[in-house]
Amino acid sequence: MGFSDRKSLIPSFLYSTTSASSSKNVSTAMDGSSQPSISPSSSQMTEKSFLIPAPKEGSGYKVEMYSPAFYAASTVGGILSCGLTHTAVTPLDLVKCNMQIDPAKYKSISSGFGVLLKEQGVRGLSKGWAPTLLGYSAQGACKYGFYEYFKKYYSDLAGPENAVKYKTLIYLAGSASAEVIADVALCPFEAIKVRVQTQPGFARGLSDGLPKIVKAEGVAGLYKGIVPLWGRQIPYTMMKFASFENIVEQLYKHVIPTPKDQCSSTMQLGVSFAGGYLAGILCAVVSHPADNLVSFLNNAKGATVGDAVNKLGLWGLCTRGLPLRIFMIGTLTGAQWGIYDSFKVFVGLPTTGGAPPAAQK
């Protein structure tokens, strides 16, 4: 797949395919690292190409890079990775939200589960699963799909040399741009979820919670938490993608004794999970104060950021519920990257991250 005869709005030098070392002169290709790399001209191609081939893995389906099918695959992978994982940890999220809203009643993780089980039974631990599933599926679709687009778009704007030199800035800019869009899709569902989980008797779930909020506060009531949501999710996502890409690169460089393209699919997916878990810990710490704000504002009608700071304090904003969120987000992020990369392997794409881009010789 070449773009040598026309300038593409979607960047073209991030990856190399398994055919990258063939005699065809490719100006844009994909390496296994999901990072910007510079493709040499045919006159510079040596017997041993520096392009990293995509791993020989997958179901036999091959997706052309930066085609509509590629972005569709990224979108579906995002839906699966975010929607399924967030729904699976609904009980943990339920305890976390209640610890943030009512710390006197929900003093710890274990006592929080005890209180919920006593008052609502086992069934109560799944409270809010529907807005969680739909909201984070929509968010995941935009997060991963637009990240792949913006990462490539900004790489094209920077040019091959700068895209390699400033790859981390491109990861940060691409993920931030994607998350702005993703949170517009998530915000209404997050507002419903928090109220269902923290206000007993408010609503059973999405079907009756949505019309109740709209009737009382209008459509704007669904988006009153959008600014703190951006404050939570944009730093989180920037850390999630940039740290993951760099952590995985370092794992293959310093920890894994075998080059990525010689590792089995199982090994590569294991690296994806480990890199995702470590990135998730950093994500939780960076985004936790805003997470407390989102829970507080969505639970208290008419509340402001100042009210939250006065009631919780700066220390409380940064630490309340943090251990549980580190465990939850670490596991969540690791599982998300594992699912996302598993889907990429299934459709014939390489896993994300890997060796650093090679310099042109």
Side-chain angles (χ1 to χ4, degrees):
M1 137 191 114
F3 294 90
S4 57
D5 56 342
R6 60 187 175 90
K7 183 178 177 73
S8 173
L9 284 177
I10 313 253
S12 52
F13 40 79
L14 293 178
Y15 301 95
S16 70
T17 64
T18 52
S19 62
S21 60
S22 67
S23 60
K24 183 183 290 185
N25 179 24
V26 283
S27 63
T28 69
M30 170 177 174
D31 70 11
S33 68
S34 235
Q35 298 170 344
S37 62
I38 305 171
S39 175
S41 64
S42 58
S43 62
Q44 295 168 318
M45 293 285 281
T46 61
E47 183 176 351
K48 183 178 180 181
S49 171
F50 64 72
L51 288 172
I52 301 169
K56 298 176 181 178
E57 56 189 13
S59 60
Y61 297 100
K62 295 299 176 185
V63 175
E64 184 181 4
M65 294 304 301
Y66 317 123
S67 65
F70 167 74
Y71 291 108
S74 300
T75 299
V76 173
I79 291 172
L80 295 174
S81 67
C82 292
L84 295 178
T85 52
H86 277 276
T87 304
V89 298
T90 294
L92 281 173
D93 188 47
L94 178 62
V95 174
K96 173 190 72 72
C97 286
N98 280 284
M99 286 176 65
Q100 292 170 331
I101 297 302
D102 193 354
K105 183 176 181 180
Y106 301 89
K107 298 179 180 179
S108 66
I109 298 171
S110 57
S111 67
F113 273 110
V115 170
L116 289 171
L117 285 171
K118 182 179 180 180
E119 293 184 352
Q120 304 178 32
V122 175
R123 189 174 180 180
L125 294 178
S126 63
K127 226 175 181 183
W129 73 268
T132 297
L133 175 62
L134 294 178
Y136 282 95
S137 292
Q139 187 214 37
C142 297
K143 186 196 296 275
Y144 283 90
F146 281 109
Y147 172 68
E148 296 288 1
Y149 171 80
F150 282 118
K151 179 174 67 172
K152 199 166 189 322
Y153 179 70
Y154 292 144
S155 296
D156 268 349
L157 292 179
E161 292 185 7
N162 286 330
V164 173
K165 186 176 180 180
Y166 301 109
K167 64 182 187 296
T168 299
L169 291 178
I170 288 173
Y171 300 149
L172 292 170
S175 57
S177 299
E179 191 60 37
V180 169
I181 299 171
D183 288 344
V184 174
L186 170 64
C187 194
F189 298 98
E190 184 76 358
I192 298 165
K193 176 189 78 74
V194 170
R195 295 198 192 187
V196 168
Q197 290 180 334
T198 61
Q199 293 183 8
F202 171 75
R204 296 187 305 275
L206 178 64
S207 60
D208 55 339
L210 175 60
K212 187 171 287 189
I213 292 178
V214 172
K215 183 179 180 180
E217 304 175 41
V219 175
L222 297 172
Y223 284 95
K224 74 174 187 177
I226 187 65
V227 173
L229 186 62
W230 277 329
R232 180 187 80 184
Q233 289 298 131
I234 292 175
Y236 165 88
T237 300
M238 293 170 71
M239 181 66 74
K240 173 180 178 176
F241 283 91
S243 62
F244 174 82
E245 297 261 19
N246 284 287
I247 286 171
V248 169
E249 178 182 322
Q250 294 305 310
L251 287 176
Y252 280 114
K253 185 176 181 180
H254 299 293
V255 179
I256 308 300
T258 307
K260 179 183 176 181
D261 60 332
Q262 297 177 25
C263 293
S264 66
S265 298
T266 302
M267 172 66 77
Q268 293 188 31
L269 293 174
V271 171
S272 293
F273 178 81
Y277 199 100
L278 293 173
I281 293 173
L282 299 176
C283 292
V285 174
V286 167
S287 63
H288 193 66
D291 183 62
N292 273 320
L293 280 177
V294 170
S295 295
F296 185 90
L297 294 177
N298 279 324
N299 185 68
K301 185 175 181 180
T304 65
V305 172
D307 295 333
V309 173
N310 289 333
K311 182 171 182 179
L312 302 178
L314 291 177
W315 179 252
L317 280 174
C318 295
T319 61
R320 183 168 291 173
L322 181 59
L324 177 57
R325 192 158 187 265
I326 285 177
F327 172 75
M328 186 179 81
I329 296 300
T331 305
L332 201 69
T333 307
Q336 285 174 354
W337 279 114
I339 292 171
Y340 182 66
D341 275 350
S342 294
F343 186 77
K344 289 176 71 176
V345 168
F346 175 75
V347 298
L349 292 168
T351 56
T352 310
Q360 188 165 348
K361 300 178 180 179

